[in-house]
Amino acid sequence: MKFGGTSVGDVAAFERVFHIVSTQIERHPVVVVSAMTKVTDALLAAFETAKKGDFADAYASLEPHFDRHTAVSEHFISGDKPDAFNGELEFARGELSDLLMRVTRRSLPLQMLKDAIVSYGEQLSSRLLAEVLKAKGVAARQVDSRRLIVTDDEYGAATPIIDETNEIVRLELEPLIAGGEVPILGGFIAANRAGETTTLGRGGSDYSAAIVAAALHSNELQIWTDVTGVMTCDPRICDSAKTIPVLSYEEAAELAYFGAKVLHPKTIKPAVDNAIPVRVCNTFEPNEMGTMVLADSGETPNKIKSIAHKKNITILRISSARMLGSYGFMSAVFQVFERFRTVIDVISTSEVSIALTLDNTAEIDKIVAELERLGDVEIDTGYAVICVVGEGLRASTGLASTVFSTIEDVNVALISHGASSVNLTFVVKEDSAADVIKRLHKGFSEYWPQSTQRP
Ligand code: ADP
Ligand code: ASP
Ligand code: MG
């Protein structure tokens, strides 16, 4: 059972988590929890402030977040017993102060310090949840995920070493589970072989949960969040968004990749490989079924499942007359992106040019400098990728034309369909994205599930 940041935001949220966990005790759950909402952002901001040399401000900016933890522990953990969480919080304060000072002084590699700092979000939330559950009579026990999940040295977006991780997860957790305890793990955080803290990338708690579920051969992975499952589009954009009862793994992966952040893209992989069904459910509506992600959704063709989007997209166009009729050009272009570890989202080619989109532009200057050796490069910012996903796109011919006739007055910068036949992806200016999504959502209303309520 993975609980996201909004599911552990305050006293009421912890109360909801207790009820959800306690109703499933007999299924022997393992709980994976994210940092309390906004804490990861706050820790990253503190790191940036310290980097600018302002240690005092960096540390002070965390105070309100420490207080939010204290408010929860004071509510649930009674005053007469020594408050185990308080000790942990004091310890964390001291360590964070030391780490932020090191950032200011550059006394250790910054990427390493950044992961060490940001890991306190999950270190604290997992300890707090374990103490709250214990205070309410659940046999909970915090287990430090940094002892369980072994990764490479890629700070900020580390890759788990699966064999080693599986072995340790089983060795550490199975005896606890067999003894009737409920392990509580922080998501997102891990450690490399040398024991230094690493993290799995933003939104990575879903990934942690999937890794643990796979290692333990769990019969279900539950992702508890603040919406009722994966919906037909982001409910923050369209209030008529509906819950999708069943999704195939492939559809879920496409949606996640193209911005439906309700599921982290990598979550899918360990679950797919181990045939573990994933259920996305709402902590505010625990009795609704949410979305089941299955190996094969078994739905009839001609179905569109959802519209995902991702903003803040940059388009790069590389054109070169030399490319005409030659080979090796594409590979030269891709090698540049590989060298700078930058992921390409959408790509479209003609005989003399390649257009592609990026959402991570950290290395763009260096990338452009190298690409300019291959041809002329143009950069365009402020775009959004919109992605219509459904197994139905495989078979049906009319759907793409419906998409484009719905938005015929919108300027579309790039189109891609085919690589994975379950998606139709296109790129528009960011300021028209919300309108395009609303129109498509309305245009495809006949495809959306009629009711979200199930017994
Ligand atoms: P958590 O903190 O539980 O990990 P996230 O914020 O990562 O939660 O993901 C949940 C959010 O994803 C929702 O609040 C919603 O705004 C957003 N979202 C984007 N696209 C979708 C979609 N297609 N279905 C459901 N939620 C979506
Ligand atoms: N706390 C981390 C983040 O905000 C991981 C997660 O919530 O999944 O990115
Ligand atoms: Mg998330």
Side-chain angles (χ1 to χ4, degrees), residues 252-261 265 307-310 345-346 357 385-387 389 416 423 425:
E254 295 288 346
L255 277 176
Y257 188 70
F258 285 104
K261 71 167 186 164
I307 304 163
H309 75 287
K310 194 145 94 171
D345 280 341
V346 185
T357 69
V385 176
I386 296 178
C387 178
V389 174
S416 143
N423 87 52
T425 302

Side-chain angles (χ1 to χ4, degrees), residues 2 4-6 224-227 229-231 233-236 260-262:
K2 178 262 176 176
T6 49
W224 289 89
T225 182
D226 62 345
V227 287
V230 182
M231 308 189 82
C233 79
D234 188 341
R236 286 181 207 180
K261 71 167 186 164
V262 62

